[in-house]
Amino acid sequence: MASAMHTLRLTAQRSTYRIAPRSRHCLLQPPLAFPFSTSTRRNASDAPAPYSFRESLDSSSRAFYDSLSPEDRIRYEQDAIKLDEYMTSPAVEARLNAEVSDAAYDVFRQTPREKARPDAYERFKPGLMAMGEINERDSGEDEVFDGDDMSSIAHGELEQHRELRAYARIAAWEMPLLSKLAKPFEPPTTTPLRFRYTDYFGETHPARLKIVCEFSPMDLPLTPAQRLTLIKLVGVRYDPQRDLVRMSCEMFETQAQNKRYLGDLVDTLMKEAREGEGFEDVGVDFRHVKWKDRKEFPEAWKLSGGKRKALEERREERERNERERVARGQIVDGVGVIDAAMRAVRVEERVEIPMGKKLLGGKERAGGGKGRQRVGR
């Protein structure tokens, strides 16, 4: 404490020595007639207006205040004054300041720290001429592994385990709740228009906006003449083999817009077929169709109930005759005959052949004298 007072005293002495001469002369002048203030002078007529509780309210609160009776206004004003005194009390302010400080600390703790300012190499990416070059900073030795962390493969396994546990929690706690949203199956109603959508599981793709519409002219409420006019209007979009009209649209930014355009187009075609020209002098052109030769299975070749029964009786008769022939011994068992013949023939016998005589094939054995040779039969 003494050292702090000593420092303050030296600072005050040092500041008096640095006052300019003109400033010292000003200090000797008599004081002004009025105290120094930044506010302007006010006359007696400019006295502040008396306090009005109604004027302190905003527009919405003031309208509500005006709609009250005199007794309710007095009660409303008293409650407002009590609330203001309670909110400005030291205990409440201290509690609010503590809550604000805790919230600010939590936000500060959860906010990621700003990284250190990178150097020039990290701030600027290498250009095209420097691509593929070895960076001297990256060519040093790796940090020494102290055994305080897992390998990258172990981290991958741990992440996969966490993902499996997350899906297991979803299957255990969230998927059973889907049974509340189950609805009984209702067969689809017969609608003349069929729309086809294409989805790529949330990925952005140009083809996902395409909507295809198919309908049969026979399903539309048209007369035969109007139906023929509609076929002439759609042109190559009509397939006479399947009796289907196929149209698509992908010129709008959303699928709903493309579907709405196709629906309006079908309405326009039906209106034109009913109210427009019949095109009686124009023939139907199906040159765009590649006709396929469909082979029909002959009716005479198809198995009916009588033919199938006769075929089964014939097979049973053939099997019965075969069993009778085996029982009478009229069928020769080739495997049994070969086994019996092999057992009757001697496998080998000893034959003495004098050396130097001709053997099989007219060849003579080299060498002299007699010897024994084993000949198999």
Side-chain angles (χ1 to χ4, degrees):
M1 185 66 180
S3 59
M5 294 299 297
H6 181 67
T7 304
L8 182 60
R9 190 181 302 108
L10 293 178
T11 304
Q13 293 177 1
R14 191 181 300 110
S15 61
T16 55
Y17 296 151
R18 294 184 180 181
I19 297 178
R22 184 175 298 177
S23 300
R24 292 181 182 178
H25 178 69
C26 294
L27 292 176
L28 298 177
Q29 293 180 357
L32 299 176
F34 57 89
F36 177 75
S37 176
T38 57
S39 60
T40 58
R41 283 188 174 185
R42 296 180 180 179
N43 299 327
S45 60
D46 298 337
Y51 173 76
S52 176
F53 177 76
R54 181 180 179 278
E55 299 298 332
S56 63
L57 301 177
D58 53 1
S59 58
S60 59
S61 301
R62 190 180 305 164
F64 176 74
Y65 180 79
D66 295 339
S67 64
L68 299 176
S69 61
E71 294 80 5
D72 294 338
R73 290 182 183 179
I74 295 174
R75 190 180 302 107
Y76 182 81
E77 184 175 354
Q78 292 176 356
D79 294 342
I81 293 174
K82 291 180 181 179
L83 179 62
D84 182 67
E85 292 177 354
Y86 174 75
M87 295 301 297
T88 56
S89 61
V92 176
E93 289 185 355
R95 192 185 309 168
L96 291 176
N97 293 334
E99 294 291 340
V100 172
S101 300
D102 295 341
Y105 177 73
D106 294 340
V107 172
F108 174 75
R109 185 178 56 183
Q110 297 176 4
T111 303
R113 301 293 184 271
E114 184 179 359
K115 296 182 180 180
R117 182 180 179 182
D119 54 3
Y121 176 78
E122 294 179 351
R123 283 188 287 111
F124 300 99
K125 296 182 178 180
L128 180 62
M129 303 301 296
M131 291 179 62
E133 302 245 348
I134 300 176
N135 184 14
E136 296 181 358
R137 296 184 50 183
D138 299 337
S139 60
E141 297 182 359
D142 296 337
E143 297 181 359
V144 180
F145 181 70
D146 296 335
D148 55 350
D149 194 5
M150 299 186 299
S151 62
S152 58
I153 299 178
H155 276 289
E157 293 289 341
L158 182 59
E159 187 66 25
Q160 183 179 5
H161 183 70
R162 290 173 178 170
E163 185 176 1
L164 292 177
R165 289 175 64 92
Y167 282 115
R169 287 192 296 270
I170 293 175
W173 300 105
E174 298 183 11
M175 295 185 68
L177 301 178
L178 297 177
S179 59
K180 300 180 180 178
L181 305 177
K183 297 181 180 180
F185 173 74
E186 297 179 359
T189 58
T190 304
T191 55
L193 302 182
R194 293 181 294 273
F195 295 94
R196 190 196 70 186
Y197 303 84
T198 304
D199 191 12
Y200 291 87
F201 298 98
E203 295 184 3
T204 303
H205 195 276
R208 66 182 179 85
L209 303 177
K210 183 177 181 180
I211 304 297
V212 181
C213 176
E214 292 183 354
F215 65 91
S216 176
M218 295 295 295
D219 298 336
L220 301 180
L222 299 174
T223 61
Q226 296 173 355
R227 193 177 301 116
L228 184 60
T229 303
L230 177 65
I231 292 174
K232 294 177 182 179
L233 289 174
V234 297
V236 297
R237 295 173 179 83
Y238 175 70
D239 185 5
Q241 294 181 340
R242 299 187 300 165
D243 191 24
L244 286 178
V245 177
R246 182 186 180 93
M247 299 184 298
S248 63
C249 178
E250 54 181 340
M251 60 182 179
F252 297 102
E253 297 181 357
T254 60
Q255 293 181 346
Q257 291 176 327
N258 293 323
K259 181 180 179 181
R260 180 62 179 271
Y261 173 78
L262 292 175
D264 295 344
L265 184 60
V266 173
D267 295 339
T268 304
L269 289 173
M270 292 179 60
K271 181 179 179 180
E272 187 67 24
R274 291 170 179 171
E275 304 176 0
E277 299 181 1
F279 301 102
E280 291 82 2
D281 56 341
V282 179
V284 181
D285 188 6
F286 292 152
R287 289 178 295 177
H288 62 279
V289 181
K290 295 182 180 179
W291 299 94
K292 298 180 181 179
D293 188 11
R294 302 182 63 180
K295 304 296 183 181
E296 297 292 340
F297 197 79
E299 293 292 336
W301 293 3
K302 295 181 180 179
L303 287 176
S304 60
K307 291 182 179 180
R308 187 177 292 103
K309 184 177 180 180
L311 182 60
E312 293 178 356
E313 293 177 355
R314 194 181 308 160
R315 291 176 179 173
E316 291 177 359
E317 183 180 0
R318 188 183 300 112
E319 292 178 358
R320 186 172 57 255
N321 296 335
E322 190 75 15
R323 289 193 297 269
E324 292 177 357
R325 293 177 62 186
V326 171
R328 293 195 299 266
Q330 296 179 356
I331 298 178
V332 178
D333 187 5
V335 178
V337 173
I338 293 175
D339 292 341
M342 292 295 294
R343 288 193 298 269
V345 176
R346 290 178 297 176
V347 179
E348 58 182 5
E349 66 179 6
R350 299 177 180 272
V351 179
E352 293 186 0
I353 300 177
M355 302 303 293
K357 298 294 182 179
K358 292 184 178 180
L359 301 178
L360 296 177
K363 296 183 179 179
E364 295 184 359
R365 181 175 178 178
K370 296 182 179 181
R372 295 183 178 180
Q373 184 177 3
R374 183 172 298 175
V375 180
R377 293 183 181 178

